[in-house]
Amino acid sequence: MIDLKDLEFDELQAFLKELGEPKFRAGQIFEWLHKGAESYDDMTNISKATRAKLSETTYVSTLKIREKYVSKLDGTVKYLFELPDGNCIESVVMRYHHGITICISSQVGCRMGCRFCASTIGGLYRSLTPGEMLNQVIFAQKDLGERISNIVMMGIGEPLDNYDNVIKFLHNVNREGGLNIGFRHITLSSCGLAPEIKRLAGEKLPITLTISLHAPNDEIRDTIMPVNKRYKIAELMEACGEYAEISGRRLSFEYSLIHGVNDSLENAKELAELVRPLHAHVNLIPVNKVEEREYKKGTDLEINAFRGMLEKLGINATVRRELGSDISASCGQLRKKTISA
Ligand code: SAH
């Protein structure tokens, strides 16, 4: 059975043509699917005969809200969604001045093994389909009754480890008649798969790419991010440079500050020299405590000193504001609790 949300628009058109449907049918069905239809019965402007024909080989995928938490502090909403096969993923909706942003997952689990991250404990179960990524936006929006205008791919999983499905998802989520979210309102975060970063440059999608760097040199990065054993920082930076050049987009770097590991002023100086050639912005994230991990964040004073050093050296840096701290909004934590329960 085919989930029609896994098809790109031209594939959907070709599929429906095969079934003998008129050309306008693809647009109608695309619209229904993306505004949250839960079955073909919802599609009232499509004949019963056509609906019956579609049901023979295809289905309308849905996502069940298994748990939902709303922060009393800032309105952040965290969803634990259940996939049709029983696996769970997390999505977080954040309210900013510039609109509503959803942070979505790209895989069930992750095989990148970053030492400080909750999502990678237990490894990778499977990658999400394009439809499953779309459904997080579709069903969160439907539940909220408000338009979601921005997407960050910073939930569970490594998006570039699920490359083809992510590209299909991006094409579909951007399309008019569907969710119509501008590429400039989409951020993709990667731990640094250098070949895929280069490949992504060739897609010519004006999305924002952000790289989880977390260390200013190979010695430190090797100890916290196994991906660095495959692609050293020099190779990663080369890929980033190529991405910036081909796409014409400035990228940014994520840097989780882990006390005593990567947060000395010496580390800040090294980081400044590393990112300077790319004119990149640095997002500092005080590391979130994960039960199974011993990593801790520094004091506010230390965090500000690190940021101050970067600024002094001419690097744009911000400390990420923590949202939803009362609902354990950081990714991977809810799903993990559910698996072990
Ligand atoms: N795999 C992608 C996207 C998912 S992680 C990536 O690596 O970028 C989203 C961000 O949260 C990444 O920058 C990740 O390194 C960071 N992160 C993971 N666990 C964290 C923790 N305990 N504290 C702070 N940041 C964390």
Side-chain angles (χ1 to χ4, degrees):
M1 293 291 262
I2 300 171
D3 174 4
L4 292 183
K5 273 176 268 191
D6 285 342
L7 306 182
E8 286 198 34
F9 191 73
D10 53 352
E11 294 172 325
L12 179 64
Q13 268 181 328
F15 179 82
L16 292 169
K17 195 173 165 196
E18 276 296 296
L19 288 185
E21 289 298 312
K23 206 154 180 218
F24 61 83
R25 193 73 76 218
Q28 285 179 325
I29 291 178
F30 193 85
E31 207 174 310
W32 277 115
L33 290 173
H34 291 248
K35 81 175 169 207
E38 298 190 22
S39 81
Y40 287 121
D41 295 336
D42 288 348
M43 305 187 181
T44 42
N45 58 352
I46 293 167
S47 76
K48 281 218 170 110
T50 301
R51 287 188 244 159
K53 195 162 57 178
L54 284 171
S55 310
E56 284 168 19
T57 50
T58 71
Y59 69 104
V60 180
S61 64
T62 57
L63 210 46
K64 205 167 101 195
I65 300 175
R66 176 139 158 196
E67 291 171 29
K68 175 185 173 185
Y69 302 89
V70 183
S71 168
K72 291 195 179 67
L73 303 173
D74 49 45
T76 298
V77 184
K78 175 137 195 171
Y79 292 100
L80 183 71
F81 283 121
E82 188 177 317
L83 299 161
D85 67 357
N87 274 306
C88 288
I89 49 170
E90 294 171 40
S91 318
V92 181
V93 173
M94 294 156 289
R95 294 171 183 280
Y96 293 111
H97 295 303
H98 58 266
I100 298 184
T101 298
I102 187 165
C103 173
I104 64 161
S105 297
S106 58
Q107 297 181 309
V108 182
C110 183
R111 57 175 177 169
M112 296 297 123
C114 300
R115 299 271 181 264
F116 46 81
C117 180
S119 301
T120 200
I121 298 168
L124 175 70
Y125 282 58
R126 68 174 177 86
S127 282
L128 296 185
T129 62
E132 287 169 334
M133 288 182 262
L134 284 164
N135 278 343
Q136 295 170 64
V137 190
I138 293 168
F139 289 102
Q141 180 163 282
K142 194 173 176 187
D143 178 62
L144 293 168
E146 288 173 275
R147 178 165 191 264
I148 291 174
S149 56
N150 298 67
I151 298 176
V152 294
M153 304 195 76
M154 283 193 187
I156 298 169
E158 166 52 44
L160 297 185
D161 187 37
N162 183 17
Y163 190 92
D164 294 333
N165 287 346
V166 164
I167 298 298
K168 275 192 167 191
F169 158 74
L170 290 172
H171 286 153
N172 273 348
V173 82
N174 173 251
R175 212 189 144 79
E176 268 177 49
L179 291 161
N180 199 10
I181 297 181
F183 286 128
R184 286 189 157 70
H185 295 256
I186 301 176
T187 298
L188 187 150
S189 179
S190 170
C191 66
L193 301 179
E196 282 74 20
I197 290 172
K198 292 184 178 179
R199 199 172 152 204
L200 185 65
E203 308 283 347
K204 297 264 176 2
L205 304 172
I207 56 169
T208 300
L209 177 64
T210 181
I211 303 295
S212 297
L213 189 58
H214 305 324
N217 59 49
D218 286 326
E219 203 187 329
I220 298 176
R221 204 165 194 262
D222 277 343
T223 66
I224 54 176
M225 298 179 72
V227 67
N228 203 62
K229 301 223 158 80
R230 261 201 289 165
Y231 309 111
K232 293 292 170 204
I233 290 184
E235 193 176 347
L236 172 58
M237 288 298 155
E238 196 227 355
C240 289
E242 196 173 310
Y243 182 88
E245 198 178 322
I246 295 176
S247 69
R249 305 277 298 159
R250 190 178 293 190
L251 20 74
S252 61
F253 291 96
E254 309 284 303
Y255 195 99
S256 294
L257 286 165
I258 310 173
H259 189 54
V261 174
N262 65 2
D263 68 343
S264 72
L265 292 182
E266 223 20 73
N267 296 151
K269 288 181 194 163
E270 224 177 327
L271 176 62
E273 295 324 309
L274 196 57
V275 304
R276 188 188 309 286
L278 290 166
H279 308 287
H281 182 95
V282 176
N283 273 315
L284 298 170
I285 317 160
V287 74
N288 279 307
K289 185 129 186 49
V290 175
E291 254 168 59
E292 288 81 349
R293 312 298 202 210
E294 70 276 28
Y295 298 121
K296 283 202 281 289
K297 59 177 147 199
T299 61
D300 286 353
L301 212 64
E302 287 163 325
I303 292 164
N304 277 325
F306 194 94
R307 191 187 67 87
M309 178 57 82
L310 289 177
E311 291 276 328
K312 196 176 123 194
L313 296 170
I315 305 300
N316 247 316
T318 40
V319 179
R320 182 172 301 158
R321 193 159 57 99
E322 194 182 357
L323 292 174
S325 55
D326 56 332
I327 55 169
S328 89
S330 310
C331 253
Q333 315 213 347
L334 257 189
R335 175 177 162 263
K336 193 160 56 64
K337 228 169 42 194
T338 316
I339 299 175
S340 52

